[in-house]
PDB file of all heavy atoms in Angstrom:
ATOM      1  N   ILE A  15     163.895 -73.740 103.301  1.00 95.00           N
ATOM      2  CA  ILE A  15     164.636 -72.554 103.751  1.00 95.00           C
ATOM      3  C   ILE A  15     165.220 -72.824 105.140  1.00 95.00           C
ATOM      4  O   ILE A  15     166.375 -72.574 105.410  1.00 95.00           O
ATOM      5  CB  ILE A  15     163.702 -71.308 103.810  1.00 95.00           C
ATOM      6  CG1 ILE A  15     163.123 -71.002 102.435  1.00 95.00           C
ATOM      7  CG2 ILE A  15     164.431 -70.096 104.373  1.00 95.00           C
ATOM      8  CD1 ILE A  15     164.104 -70.510 101.408  1.00 95.00           C
ATOM      9  N   CYS A  16     164.365 -73.330 106.037  1.00 97.00           N
ATOM     10  CA  CYS A  16     164.822 -73.680 107.389  1.00 97.00           C
ATOM     11  C   CYS A  16     163.772 -74.570 108.050  1.00 97.00           C
ATOM     12  O   CYS A  16     162.675 -74.739 107.530  1.00 97.00           O
ATOM     13  CB  CYS A  16     165.047 -72.424 108.238  1.00 97.00           C
ATOM     14  SG  CYS A  16     163.520 -71.570 108.684  1.00 97.00           S
ATOM     15  N   GLN A  17     164.141 -75.098 109.212  1.00 97.00           N
ATOM     16  CA  GLN A  17     163.190 -75.898 109.994  1.00 97.00           C
ATOM     17  C   GLN A  17     162.399 -74.928 110.863  1.00 97.00           C
ATOM     18  O   GLN A  17     162.994 -74.163 111.634  1.00 97.00           O
ATOM     19  CB  GLN A  17     163.999 -76.872 110.856  1.00 97.00           C
ATOM     20  CG  GLN A  17     163.172 -77.979 111.461  1.00 97.00           C
ATOM     21  CD  GLN A  17     164.070 -78.910 112.284  1.00 97.00           C
ATOM     22  OE1 GLN A  17     165.197 -79.211 111.896  1.00 97.00           O
ATOM     23  NE2 GLN A  17     163.579 -79.332 113.423  1.00 97.00           N
ATOM     24  N   LEU A  18     161.084 -74.943 110.737  1.00 98.00           N
ATOM     25  CA  LEU A  18     160.247 -73.957 111.432  1.00 98.00           C
ATOM     26  C   LEU A  18     159.342 -74.617 112.468  1.00 98.00           C
ATOM     27  O   LEU A  18     158.690 -75.611 112.190  1.00 98.00           O
ATOM     28  CB  LEU A  18     159.385 -73.208 110.404  1.00 98.00           C
ATOM     29  CG  LEU A  18     158.274 -72.307 110.949  1.00 98.00           C
ATOM     30  CD1 LEU A  18     158.837 -71.107 111.687  1.00 98.00           C
ATOM     31  CD2 LEU A  18     157.357 -71.827 109.825  1.00 98.00           C
ATOM     32  N   GLU A  19     159.326 -74.045 113.669  1.00 97.00           N
ATOM     33  CA  GLU A  19     158.333 -74.403 114.692  1.00 97.00           C
ATOM     34  C   GLU A  19     157.527 -73.140 114.968  1.00 97.00           C
ATOM     35  O   GLU A  19     158.093 -72.037 115.012  1.00 97.00           O
ATOM     36  CB  GLU A  19     159.027 -74.833 115.988  1.00 97.00           C
ATOM     37  CG  GLU A  19     159.936 -76.027 115.817  1.00 97.00           C
ATOM     38  CD  GLU A  19     159.487 -77.218 116.631  1.00 97.00           C
ATOM     39  OE1 GLU A  19     158.322 -77.236 117.072  1.00 97.00           O
ATOM     40  OE2 GLU A  19     160.295 -78.133 116.805  1.00 97.00           O
ATOM     41  N   ALA A  20     156.201 -73.295 115.136  1.00 97.00           N
ATOM     42  CA  ALA A  20     155.367 -72.104 115.324  1.00 97.00           C
ATOM     43  C   ALA A  20     154.419 -72.271 116.506  1.00 97.00           C
ATOM     44  O   ALA A  20     153.929 -73.371 116.766  1.00 97.00           O
ATOM     45  CB  ALA A  20     154.581 -71.813 114.055  1.00 97.00           C
ATOM     46  N   VAL A  21     154.190 -71.177 117.225  1.00 97.00           N
ATOM     47  CA  VAL A  21     153.264 -71.146 118.358  1.00 97.00           C
ATOM     48  C   VAL A  21     152.177 -70.135 118.026  1.00 97.00           C
ATOM     49  O   VAL A  21     152.470 -68.976 117.717  1.00 97.00           O
ATOM     50  CB  VAL A  21     154.008 -70.722 119.656  1.00 97.00           C
ATOM     51  CG1 VAL A  21     153.020 -70.479 120.789  1.00 97.00           C
ATOM     52  CG2 VAL A  21     155.042 -71.771 120.049  1.00 97.00           C
ATOM     53  N   GLU A  22     150.931 -70.575 118.076  1.00 96.00           N
ATOM     54  CA  GLU A  22     149.820 -69.680 117.710  1.00 96.00           C
ATOM     55  C   GLU A  22     149.592 -68.629 118.796  1.00 96.00           C
ATOM     56  O   GLU A  22     149.745 -68.903 119.977  1.00 96.00           O
ATOM     57  CB  GLU A  22     148.545 -70.491 117.453  1.00 96.00           C
ATOM     58  CG  GLU A  22     148.677 -71.339 116.201  1.00 96.00           C
ATOM     59  CD  GLU A  22     147.367 -71.987 115.744  1.00 96.00           C
ATOM     60  OE1 GLU A  22     146.292 -71.606 116.252  1.00 96.00           O
ATOM     61  OE2 GLU A  22     147.436 -72.879 114.876  1.00 96.00           O
ATOM     62  N   LEU A  23     149.245 -67.410 118.340  1.00 93.00           N
ATOM     63  CA  LEU A  23     149.061 -66.298 119.284  1.00 93.00           C
ATOM     64  C   LEU A  23     148.073 -65.294 118.707  1.00 93.00           C
ATOM     65  O   LEU A  23     148.164 -64.918 117.541  1.00 93.00           O
ATOM     66  CB  LEU A  23     150.424 -65.598 119.498  1.00 93.00           C
ATOM     67  CG  LEU A  23     150.426 -64.341 120.374  1.00 93.00           C
ATOM     68  CD1 LEU A  23     150.282 -64.701 121.848  1.00 93.00           C
ATOM     69  CD2 LEU A  23     151.710 -63.525 120.185  1.00 93.00           C
ATOM     70  N   ASP A  24     147.132 -64.869 119.546  1.00 89.00           N
ATOM     71  CA  ASP A  24     146.277 -63.736 119.169  1.00 89.00           C
ATOM     72  C   ASP A  24     146.810 -62.520 119.928  1.00 89.00           C
ATOM     73  O   ASP A  24     146.594 -62.383 121.129  1.00 89.00           O
ATOM     74  CB  ASP A  24     144.818 -64.016 119.546  1.00 89.00           C
ATOM     75  CG  ASP A  24     143.897 -62.850 119.159  1.00 89.00           C
ATOM     76  OD1 ASP A  24     144.411 -61.860 118.586  1.00 89.00           O
ATOM     77  OD2 ASP A  24     142.686 -62.920 119.428  1.00 89.00           O
ATOM     78  N   ASN A  25     147.538 -61.671 119.226  1.00 81.00           N
ATOM     79  CA  ASN A  25     148.139 -60.498 119.894  1.00 81.00           C
ATOM     80  C   ASN A  25     147.482 -59.205 119.406  1.00 81.00           C
ATOM     81  O   ASN A  25     148.112 -58.160 119.324  1.00 81.00           O
ATOM     82  CB  ASN A  25     149.648 -60.466 119.650  1.00 81.00           C
ATOM     83  CG  ASN A  25     149.988 -60.261 118.183  1.00 81.00           C
ATOM     84  OD1 ASN A  25     149.184 -60.550 117.307  1.00 81.00           O
ATOM     85  ND2 ASN A  25     151.173 -59.758 117.909  1.00 81.00           N
ATOM     86  N   SER A  26     146.183 -59.298 119.067  1.00 84.00           N
ATOM     87  CA  SER A  26     145.453 -58.121 118.575  1.00 84.00           C
ATOM     88  C   SER A  26     145.529 -56.991 119.607  1.00 84.00           C
ATOM     89  O   SER A  26     145.447 -57.225 120.820  1.00 84.00           O
ATOM     90  CB  SER A  26     143.978 -58.469 118.339  1.00 84.00           C
ATOM     91  OG  SER A  26     143.877 -59.640 117.568  1.00 84.00           O
ATOM     92  N   VAL A  27     145.673 -55.776 119.102  1.00 79.00           N
ATOM     93  CA  VAL A  27     145.717 -54.595 119.985  1.00 79.00           C
ATOM     94  C   VAL A  27     144.297 -54.319 120.474  1.00 79.00           C
ATOM     95  O   VAL A  27     143.345 -54.325 119.688  1.00 79.00           O
ATOM     96  CB  VAL A  27     146.260 -53.366 119.215  1.00 79.00           C
ATOM     97  CG1 VAL A  27     146.214 -52.118 120.079  1.00 79.00           C
ATOM     98  CG2 VAL A  27     147.683 -53.630 118.740  1.00 79.00           C
ATOM     99  N   SER A  28     144.147 -54.092 121.795  1.00 77.00           N
ATOM    100  CA  SER A  28     142.811 -53.775 122.334  1.00 77.00           C
ATOM    101  C   SER A  28     142.922 -52.588 123.276  1.00 77.00           C
ATOM    102  O   SER A  28     143.992 -52.349 123.870  1.00 77.00           O
ATOM    103  CB  SER A  28     142.246 -54.981 123.097  1.00 77.00           C
ATOM    104  OG  SER A  28     142.980 -55.169 124.302  1.00 77.00           O
ATOM    105  N   LEU A  29     141.831 -51.876 123.424  1.00 77.00           N
ATOM    106  CA  LEU A  29     141.817 -50.707 124.312  1.00 77.00           C
ATOM    107  C   LEU A  29     142.068 -51.150 125.755  1.00 77.00           C
ATOM    108  O   LEU A  29     142.817 -50.500 126.497  1.00 77.00           O
ATOM    109  CB  LEU A  29     140.467 -49.977 124.200  1.00 77.00           C
ATOM    110  CG  LEU A  29     140.339 -48.689 125.021  1.00 77.00           C
ATOM    111  CD1 LEU A  29     141.411 -47.676 124.633  1.00 77.00           C
ATOM    112  CD2 LEU A  29     138.961 -48.076 124.857  1.00 77.00           C
ATOM    113  N   VAL A  30     141.466 -52.286 126.155  1.00 73.00           N
ATOM    114  CA  VAL A  30     141.669 -52.822 127.509  1.00 73.00           C
ATOM    115  C   VAL A  30     143.159 -53.101 127.722  1.00 73.00           C
ATOM    116  O   VAL A  30     143.737 -52.753 128.758  1.00 73.00           O
ATOM    117  CB  VAL A  30     140.837 -54.116 127.720  1.00 73.00           C
ATOM    118  CG1 VAL A  30     141.186 -54.789 129.037  1.00 73.00           C
ATOM    119  CG2 VAL A  30     139.355 -53.791 127.673  1.00 73.00           C
ATOM    120  N   GLY A  31     143.791 -53.728 126.712  1.00 69.00           N
ATOM    121  CA  GLY A  31     145.226 -54.038 126.787  1.00 69.00           C
ATOM    122  C   GLY A  31     146.061 -52.781 126.937  1.00 69.00           C
ATOM    123  O   GLY A  31     147.002 -52.730 127.739  1.00 69.00           O
ATOM    124  N   ILE A  32     145.716 -51.748 126.156  1.00 73.00           N
ATOM    125  CA  ILE A  32     146.457 -50.480 126.214  1.00 73.00           C
ATOM    126  C   ILE A  32     146.354 -49.879 127.620  1.00 73.00           C
ATOM    127  O   ILE A  32     147.351 -49.443 128.201  1.00 73.00           O
ATOM    128  CB  ILE A  32     145.922 -49.487 125.143  1.00 73.00           C
ATOM    129  CG1 ILE A  32     146.341 -49.965 123.737  1.00 73.00           C
ATOM    130  CG2 ILE A  32     146.435 -48.071 125.398  1.00 73.00           C
ATOM    131  CD1 ILE A  32     145.705 -49.208 122.595  1.00 73.00           C
ATOM    132  N   LEU A  33     145.133 -49.899 128.194  1.00 71.00           N
ATOM    133  CA  LEU A  33     144.922 -49.329 129.533  1.00 71.00           C
ATOM    134  C   LEU A  33     145.651 -50.143 130.599  1.00 71.00           C
ATOM    135  O   LEU A  33     146.298 -49.593 131.487  1.00 71.00           O
ATOM    136  CB  LEU A  33     143.423 -49.241 129.847  1.00 71.00           C
ATOM    137  CG  LEU A  33     142.630 -48.252 128.971  1.00 71.00           C
ATOM    138  CD1 LEU A  33     141.146 -48.390 129.204  1.00 71.00           C
ATOM    139  CD2 LEU A  33     143.090 -46.815 129.226  1.00 71.00           C
ATOM    140  N   LYS A  34     145.567 -51.482 130.497  1.00 70.00           N
ATOM    141  CA  LYS A  34     146.266 -52.351 131.461  1.00 70.00           C
ATOM    142  C   LYS A  34     147.780 -52.144 131.358  1.00 70.00           C
ATOM    143  O   LYS A  34     148.507 -52.189 132.344  1.00 70.00           O
ATOM    144  CB  LYS A  34     145.936 -53.829 131.177  1.00 70.00           C
ATOM    145  CG  LYS A  34     144.654 -54.293 131.866  1.00 70.00           C
ATOM    146  CD  LYS A  34     144.177 -55.589 131.279  1.00 70.00           C
ATOM    147  CE  LYS A  34     144.487 -56.811 132.065  1.00 70.00           C
ATOM    148  NZ  LYS A  34     143.930 -58.015 131.381  1.00 70.00           N
ATOM    149  N   GLY A  35     148.240 -51.912 130.119  1.00 65.00           N
ATOM    150  CA  GLY A  35     149.679 -51.759 129.861  1.00 65.00           C
ATOM    151  C   GLY A  35     150.306 -50.609 130.619  1.00 65.00           C
ATOM    152  O   GLY A  35     151.508 -50.616 130.898  1.00 65.00           O
ATOM    153  N   VAL A  36     149.475 -49.615 130.986  1.00 68.00           N
ATOM    154  CA  VAL A  36     149.980 -48.461 131.745  1.00 68.00           C
ATOM    155  C   VAL A  36     150.555 -48.925 133.087  1.00 68.00           C
ATOM    156  O   VAL A  36     151.485 -48.345 133.625  1.00 68.00           O
ATOM    157  CB  VAL A  36     148.843 -47.423 131.950  1.00 68.00           C
ATOM    158  CG1 VAL A  36     149.289 -46.276 132.842  1.00 68.00           C
ATOM    159  CG2 VAL A  36     148.360 -46.899 130.598  1.00 68.00           C
ATOM    160  N   PHE A  37     149.980 -50.033 133.643  1.00 65.00           N
ATOM    161  CA  PHE A  37     150.390 -50.501 134.982  1.00 65.00           C
ATOM    162  C   PHE A  37     151.336 -51.707 134.928  1.00 65.00           C
ATOM    163  O   PHE A  37     151.708 -52.244 135.952  1.00 65.00           O
ATOM    164  CB  PHE A  37     149.135 -50.874 135.795  1.00 65.00           C
ATOM    165  CG  PHE A  37     148.129 -49.752 135.850  1.00 65.00           C
ATOM    166  CD1 PHE A  37     146.998 -49.764 135.027  1.00 65.00           C
ATOM    167  CD2 PHE A  37     148.327 -48.661 136.693  1.00 65.00           C
ATOM    168  CE1 PHE A  37     146.086 -48.718 135.056  1.00 65.00           C
ATOM    169  CE2 PHE A  37     147.423 -47.617 136.726  1.00 65.00           C
ATOM    170  CZ  PHE A  37     146.304 -47.639 135.915  1.00 65.00           C
ATOM    171  N   GLN A  38     151.716 -52.142 133.710  1.00 71.00           N
ATOM    172  CA  GLN A  38     152.602 -53.306 133.604  1.00 71.00           C
ATOM    173  C   GLN A  38     154.061 -52.867 133.464  1.00 71.00           C
ATOM    174  O   GLN A  38     154.344 -51.763 133.012  1.00 71.00           O
ATOM    175  CB  GLN A  38     152.182 -54.179 132.413  1.00 71.00           C
ATOM    176  CG  GLN A  38     150.863 -54.911 132.675  1.00 71.00           C
ATOM    177  CD  GLN A  38     150.294 -55.583 131.422  1.00 71.00           C
ATOM    178  OE1 GLN A  38     150.500 -55.116 130.316  1.00 71.00           O
ATOM    179  NE2 GLN A  38     149.578 -56.671 131.618  1.00 71.00           N
ATOM    180  N   SER A  39     154.956 -53.792 133.846  1.00 71.00           N
ATOM    181  CA  SER A  39     156.383 -53.419 133.831  1.00 71.00           C
ATOM    182  C   SER A  39     156.913 -53.267 132.404  1.00 71.00           C
ATOM    183  O   SER A  39     157.798 -52.472 132.145  1.00 71.00           O
ATOM    184  CB  SER A  39     157.203 -54.465 134.583  1.00 71.00           C
ATOM    185  OG  SER A  39     157.012 -55.739 133.998  1.00 71.00           O
ATOM    186  N   GLN A  40     156.354 -54.047 131.462  1.00 79.00           N
ATOM    187  CA  GLN A  40     156.797 -53.940 130.062  1.00 79.00           C
ATOM    188  C   GLN A  40     155.774 -53.152 129.255  1.00 79.00           C
ATOM    189  O   GLN A  40     154.579 -53.246 129.516  1.00 79.00           O
ATOM    190  CB  GLN A  40     156.936 -55.333 129.433  1.00 79.00           C
ATOM    191  CG  GLN A  40     158.183 -56.065 129.878  1.00 79.00           C
ATOM    192  CD  GLN A  40     158.234 -57.472 129.287  1.00 79.00           C
ATOM    193  OE1 GLN A  40     157.256 -57.989 128.774  1.00 79.00           O
ATOM    194  NE2 GLN A  40     159.394 -58.087 129.379  1.00 79.00           N
ATOM    195  N   PRO A  41     156.207 -52.375 128.257  1.00 78.00           N
ATOM    196  CA  PRO A  41     155.255 -51.648 127.408  1.00 78.00           C
ATOM    197  C   PRO A  41     154.272 -52.628 126.751  1.00 78.00           C
ATOM    198  O   PRO A  41     154.664 -53.726 126.335  1.00 78.00           O
ATOM    199  CB  PRO A  41     156.145 -50.992 126.346  1.00 78.00           C
ATOM    200  CG  PRO A  41     157.522 -51.018 126.912  1.00 78.00           C
ATOM    201  CD  PRO A  41     157.598 -52.176 127.849  1.00 78.00           C
ATOM    202  N   TYR A  42     153.017 -52.210 126.641  1.00 74.00           N
ATOM    203  CA  TYR A  42     151.963 -53.085 126.109  1.00 74.00           C
ATOM    204  C   TYR A  42     152.300 -53.626 124.726  1.00 74.00           C
ATOM    205  O   TYR A  42     152.056 -54.791 124.424  1.00 74.00           O
ATOM    206  CB  TYR A  42     150.640 -52.313 126.084  1.00 74.00           C
ATOM    207  CG  TYR A  42     149.541 -53.033 125.310  1.00 74.00           C
ATOM    208  CD1 TYR A  42     149.062 -54.264 125.749  1.00 74.00           C
ATOM    209  CD2 TYR A  42     148.994 -52.481 124.153  1.00 74.00           C
ATOM    210  CE1 TYR A  42     148.067 -54.932 125.038  1.00 74.00           C
ATOM    211  CE2 TYR A  42     148.000 -53.144 123.454  1.00 74.00           C
ATOM    212  CZ  TYR A  42     147.534 -54.365 123.899  1.00 74.00           C
ATOM    213  OH  TYR A  42     146.557 -55.018 123.203  1.00 74.00           O
ATOM    214  N   TYR A  43     152.900 -52.782 123.851  1.00 76.00           N
ATOM    215  CA  TYR A  43     153.169 -53.220 122.479  1.00 76.00           C
ATOM    216  C   TYR A  43     154.199 -54.345 122.436  1.00 76.00           C
ATOM    217  O   TYR A  43     154.303 -55.062 121.454  1.00 76.00           O
ATOM    218  CB  TYR A  43     153.617 -52.030 121.611  1.00 76.00           C
ATOM    219  CG  TYR A  43     152.415 -51.304 121.044  1.00 76.00           C
ATOM    220  CD1 TYR A  43     151.683 -50.437 121.845  1.00 76.00           C
ATOM    221  CD2 TYR A  43     151.980 -51.532 119.740  1.00 76.00           C
ATOM    222  CE1 TYR A  43     150.553 -49.803 121.357  1.00 76.00           C
ATOM    223  CE2 TYR A  43     150.854 -50.897 119.254  1.00 76.00           C
ATOM    224  CZ  TYR A  43     150.146 -50.038 120.060  1.00 76.00           C
ATOM    225  OH  TYR A  43     149.015 -49.427 119.577  1.00 76.00           O
ATOM    226  N   ILE A  44     154.959 -54.506 123.539  1.00 84.00           N
ATOM    227  CA  ILE A  44     155.914 -55.608 123.636  1.00 84.00           C
ATOM    228  C   ILE A  44     155.293 -56.749 124.442  1.00 84.00           C
ATOM    229  O   ILE A  44     155.379 -57.915 124.065  1.00 84.00           O
ATOM    230  CB  ILE A  44     157.241 -55.101 124.246  1.00 84.00           C
ATOM    231  CG1 ILE A  44     157.932 -54.198 123.211  1.00 84.00           C
ATOM    232  CG2 ILE A  44     158.160 -56.254 124.641  1.00 84.00           C
ATOM    233  CD1 ILE A  44     159.002 -53.315 123.729  1.00 84.00           C
ATOM    234  N   GLN A  45     154.607 -56.393 125.523  1.00 85.00           N
ATOM    235  CA  GLN A  45     153.963 -57.370 126.411  1.00 85.00           C
ATOM    236  C   GLN A  45     153.035 -58.325 125.652  1.00 85.00           C
ATOM    237  O   GLN A  45     152.937 -59.501 125.963  1.00 85.00           O
ATOM    238  CB  GLN A  45     153.159 -56.593 127.477  1.00 85.00           C
ATOM    239  CG  GLN A  45     152.440 -57.455 128.492  1.00 85.00           C
ATOM    240  CD  GLN A  45     153.390 -58.063 129.504  1.00 85.00           C
ATOM    241  OE1 GLN A  45     154.292 -57.401 129.976  1.00 85.00           O
ATOM    242  NE2 GLN A  45     153.198 -59.326 129.815  1.00 85.00           N
ATOM    243  N   ARG A  46     152.364 -57.825 124.616  1.00 86.00           N
ATOM    244  CA  ARG A  46     151.379 -58.665 123.912  1.00 86.00           C
ATOM    245  C   ARG A  46     152.024 -59.808 123.132  1.00 86.00           C
ATOM    246  O   ARG A  46     151.330 -60.662 122.586  1.00 86.00           O
ATOM    247  CB  ARG A  46     150.473 -57.806 123.012  1.00 86.00           C
ATOM    248  CG  ARG A  46     151.150 -57.162 121.858  1.00 86.00           C
ATOM    249  CD  ARG A  46     150.371 -55.982 121.299  1.00 86.00           C
ATOM    250  NE  ARG A  46     151.125 -55.376 120.216  1.00 86.00           N
ATOM    251  CZ  ARG A  46     150.912 -55.604 118.931  1.00 86.00           C
ATOM    252  NH1 ARG A  46     149.938 -56.416 118.551  1.00 86.00           N
ATOM    253  NH2 ARG A  46     151.655 -55.039 118.015  1.00 86.00           N
ATOM    254  N   PHE A  47     153.374 -59.822 123.061  1.00 88.00           N
ATOM    255  CA  PHE A  47     154.067 -60.949 122.426  1.00 88.00           C
ATOM    256  C   PHE A  47     154.546 -61.978 123.449  1.00 88.00           C
ATOM    257  O   PHE A  47     155.219 -62.936 123.081  1.00 88.00           O
ATOM    258  CB  PHE A  47     155.274 -60.453 121.594  1.00 88.00           C
ATOM    259  CG  PHE A  47     154.869 -59.813 120.298  1.00 88.00           C
ATOM    260  CD1 PHE A  47     154.766 -58.435 120.199  1.00 88.00           C
ATOM    261  CD2 PHE A  47     154.562 -60.583 119.191  1.00 88.00           C
ATOM    262  CE1 PHE A  47     154.376 -57.834 119.004  1.00 88.00           C
ATOM    263  CE2 PHE A  47     154.170 -59.991 117.992  1.00 88.00           C
ATOM    264  CZ  PHE A  47     154.081 -58.617 117.905  1.00 88.00           C
ATOM    265  N   ASP A  48     154.207 -61.769 124.740  1.00 91.00           N
ATOM    266  CA  ASP A  48     154.652 -62.749 125.738  1.00 91.00           C
ATOM    267  C   ASP A  48     153.690 -63.940 125.724  1.00 91.00           C
ATOM    268  O   ASP A  48     152.495 -63.778 125.555  1.00 91.00           O
ATOM    269  CB  ASP A  48     154.716 -62.124 127.131  1.00 91.00           C
ATOM    270  CG  ASP A  48     155.728 -62.843 128.007  1.00 91.00           C
ATOM    271  OD1 ASP A  48     156.176 -63.943 127.610  1.00 91.00           O
ATOM    272  OD2 ASP A  48     156.079 -62.304 129.076  1.00 91.00           O
ATOM    273  N   SER A  49     154.252 -65.140 125.896  1.00 94.00           N
ATOM    274  CA  SER A  49     153.428 -66.344 125.819  1.00 94.00           C
ATOM    275  C   SER A  49     154.116 -67.488 126.554  1.00 94.00           C
ATOM    276  O   SER A  49     155.279 -67.804 126.281  1.00 94.00           O
ATOM    277  CB  SER A  49     153.227 -66.711 124.339  1.00 94.00           C
ATOM    278  OG  SER A  49     153.071 -68.100 124.152  1.00 94.00           O
ATOM    279  N   GLY A  50     153.382 -68.096 127.495  1.00 95.00           N
ATOM    280  CA  GLY A  50     153.911 -69.241 128.238  1.00 95.00           C
ATOM    281  C   GLY A  50     154.231 -70.402 127.312  1.00 95.00           C
ATOM    282  O   GLY A  50     155.247 -71.092 127.466  1.00 95.00           O
ATOM    283  N   GLU A  51     153.369 -70.607 126.322  1.00 97.00           N
ATOM    284  CA  GLU A  51     153.564 -71.718 125.379  1.00 97.00           C
ATOM    285  C   GLU A  51     154.852 -71.521 124.562  1.00 97.00           C
ATOM    286  O   GLU A  51     155.614 -72.467 124.326  1.00 97.00           O
ATOM    287  CB  GLU A  51     152.356 -71.810 124.429  1.00 97.00           C
ATOM    288  CG  GLU A  51     152.322 -73.112 123.647  1.00 97.00           C
ATOM    289  CD  GLU A  51     151.199 -73.148 122.592  1.00 97.00           C
ATOM    290  OE1 GLU A  51     150.216 -72.371 122.713  1.00 97.00           O
ATOM    291  OE2 GLU A  51     151.334 -73.950 121.645  1.00 97.00           O
ATOM    292  N   TYR A  52     155.105 -70.268 124.170  1.00 97.00           N
ATOM    293  CA  TYR A  52     156.326 -69.967 123.403  1.00 97.00           C
ATOM    294  C   TYR A  52     157.559 -70.215 124.280  1.00 97.00           C
ATOM    295  O   TYR A  52     158.548 -70.801 123.839  1.00 97.00           O
ATOM    296  CB  TYR A  52     156.289 -68.517 122.915  1.00 97.00           C
ATOM    297  CG  TYR A  52     157.374 -68.169 121.901  1.00 97.00           C
ATOM    298  CD1 TYR A  52     157.123 -68.236 120.538  1.00 97.00           C
ATOM    299  CD2 TYR A  52     158.646 -67.767 122.324  1.00 97.00           C
ATOM    300  CE1 TYR A  52     158.107 -67.913 119.597  1.00 97.00           C
ATOM    301  CE2 TYR A  52     159.636 -67.444 121.401  1.00 97.00           C
ATOM    302  CZ  TYR A  52     159.361 -67.523 120.039  1.00 97.00           C
ATOM    303  OH  TYR A  52     160.347 -67.211 119.127  1.00 97.00           O
ATOM    304  N   ARG A  53     157.474 -69.791 125.556  1.00 98.00           N
ATOM    305  CA  ARG A  53     158.602 -69.980 126.471  1.00 98.00           C
ATOM    306  C   ARG A  53     158.904 -71.468 126.664  1.00 98.00           C
ATOM    307  O   ARG A  53     160.062 -71.877 126.713  1.00 98.00           O
ATOM    308  CB  ARG A  53     158.315 -69.303 127.821  1.00 98.00           C
ATOM    309  CG  ARG A  53     158.386 -67.778 127.726  1.00 98.00           C
ATOM    310  CD  ARG A  53     158.244 -67.124 129.093  1.00 98.00           C
ATOM    311  NE  ARG A  53     158.277 -65.668 128.959  1.00 98.00           N
ATOM    312  CZ  ARG A  53     159.381 -64.941 128.900  1.00 98.00           C
ATOM    313  NH1 ARG A  53     160.556 -65.526 128.946  1.00 98.00           N
ATOM    314  NH2 ARG A  53     159.318 -63.623 128.798  1.00 98.00           N
TER     315      ARG A  53
END
């Protein structure tokens, strides 16, 4: 279908993440997809 490259990520939703997300510039539900390895 196509050439695929993949980066492993555990982006499970957590209560700690939700609480921390209140103080982050990006919404938590989006922030959890950020990854240095992907970049």
Side-chain angles (χ1 to χ4, degrees):
I15 300 292
C16 70
Q17 194 179 321
L18 170 68
E19 300 243 17
V21 171
E22 292 190 12
L23 176 75
D24 180 1
N25 65 337
S26 310
V27 176
S28 70
L29 183 58
V30 172
I32 289 171
L33 294 171
K34 274 165 101 179
V36 175
F37 306 101
Q38 289 170 330
S39 58
Q40 284 177 346
Y42 169 64
Y43 274 78
I44 290 163
Q45 181 74 42
R46 67 200 178 99
F47 285 97
D48 206 347
S49 150
E51 193 186 339
Y52 191 94
R53 288 186 182 276

